[in-house]
Amino acid sequence: MILFSNPGAQVQAHRAEIDQAIARVLDSGWYVLGREVEAFEREFAEYLGTAHAVGVNSGTDALALALRALGIGPGDQVAAPSHTAVATIAAIEMVGAEPLLVDIDPVHYTMDPVALEAAVTPRTRAVVIVHLYGQAADMDAVLGIARRHGLKVVEDCAQATGGRYKGRRLGTLGDVGCFSFYPTKNLGAVGDGGAVVTGSEAVAQSLRSLREYGWRGDRISHVAGVNSRLDELQAAILRAKLPHLDADNDRRRVIAGRYDAELSSVLSIPVRRSESHHVFHLYVVRLADRDAMVARLRGRGIGASIHYAQAAHQQPAYEARLAGAGNLPQTERAVAEIMTLPIYPELSDEEVGAVISAIRTELAGA
Ligand SMILES: *Cc1c(COP(=O)(O)O)cnc(C)c1O
């Protein structure tokens, strides 16, 4: 089976450096929030070109703590797409705020700025903008709307670590950038992990306090915080993998380029935004008879998948109760037609060829 993502292959590719990193932590005798986390935070902020990075326990926590650090809470509305990992929406509700769902641009699958401006209400205080599949959202338009309406901008970069918009790394354009190091992400740990990055010293300080019981270096809770710490093992492994991220993302782009070239005549390939350096966390195509094609490809040993088979507002926990849920036609159309093809740095040229020929054969026979 050719998997659509393969974190195990990633670990094997960098195995010696990861083994060394693990041994270093085991021997240090210090396992949570220590030197490795501090070093990773410094190296990750430097890689992105921003001042501060704060390690947390997951991408979901990164989003929730970022919202709290920006002063968002009960009574506030936060605009977000419904076409995203459900974590984006869960994080907004974790802080007691209300998600305000906004439709997508059907070409790039990121939030439609025109729909955002139309949806904003006097209670809207922030927007979570998702760089979906590794592609930057339309940031100039979103930042302009945010300025006009006084919205904080939270970038959900969980699928876009290393991506850029007009040359700047994603996560450094808004007030805060939130990252996930879930194993399948472009920069993945071997467990859960996440980070928030910001140019603001005050926001970084607030995040450091919120992630550890609201302490301020004194073991006294000054605000009601949580336990969302990054552990030393994950940080050390992330430090081993970070220097390879750009090369890994380049390899994803090469694979995407080959899919583009050899599949564009038979189905709708991803459309790249010219300002965006797309890092292809996922390679998502679009076709009419999607469910049958996913099944047929799986029958041929190709791990085709769907991201996501249901938008957030269509899932039982959220169904029809979220603001804006009735007005998402492009989201609902896309969800019925999208299909994810295998893409990860270690995917071989032969495997890419096998995916392409399986699709071409199935489409010719359909
Ligand atoms: C993975 C993901 C998250 C959540 O990250 P976790 O580390 O799994 O909590 C949030 N948003 C998006 C868009 C994601 O893909």
Side-chain angles (χ1 to χ4, degrees), residues 101-123:
L101 300 181
V102 175
D103 210 0
I104 51 167
D105 141 13
V107 175
H108 305 98
Y109 304 115
T110 52
M111 186 184 284
D112 175 2
V114 175
L116 171 62
E117 185 131 48
V120 166
T121 77
R123 283 202 297 121

Side-chain angles (χ1 to χ4, degrees), residues 107-108 135 252-258 260 269-276 278 280 283:
V107 175
H108 305 98
Q135 161 121 289
R252 288 174 183 270
R253 287 167 55 84
V254 166
I255 295 168
R258 182 156 171 222
D260 287 350
I269 60 165
V271 177
R272 306 185 192 201
R273 186 171 264 127
S274 62
E275 307 87 351
S276 162
H278 195 322
F280 286 98
Y283 187 92

Side-chain angles (χ1 to χ4, degrees), residues 145-165:
I145 293 163
R147 246 190 324 272
R148 283 198 292 285
H149 296 273
L151 310 179
K152 299 287 188 191
V153 177
V154 176
E155 295 179 69
D156 181 340
C157 307
Q159 300 191 1
T161 310
R164 289 193 287 259
Y165 179 82

Side-chain angles (χ1 to χ4, degrees), residues 57-63 83-89 91 128-133 156-160 178-185 191-194 281-282 307-308:
N57 193 252
S58 69
T60 309
D61 278 3
L63 289 164
H83 184 53
T84 181
V86 80
T88 309
I89 305 304
V128 178
I129 189 84
V130 182
H131 303 302
L132 198 72
Y133 305 148
D156 181 340
C157 307
Q159 300 191 1
C178 299
F179 293 83
S180 165
F181 305 125
Y182 184 76
T184 62
K185 308 288 177 165
D192 278 309
H281 173 60
L282 299 172
H307 295 85
Y308 295 88

Side-chain angles (χ1 to χ4, degrees), residues 3 15 29-30 37 75 93-95 102 112 119 132 156 160 198 205 212 215 257 282 328 351 359 366:
L3 305 170
R15 182 61 189 261
W30 190 281
V37 171
E93 292 201 332
M94 274 167 70
V95 305
V102 175
D112 175 2
L132 198 72
D156 181 340
T198 178
Q205 257 180 29
E212 194 169 33
W215 293 351
L282 299 172
L328 304 166
E351 288 169 319
I359 291 172

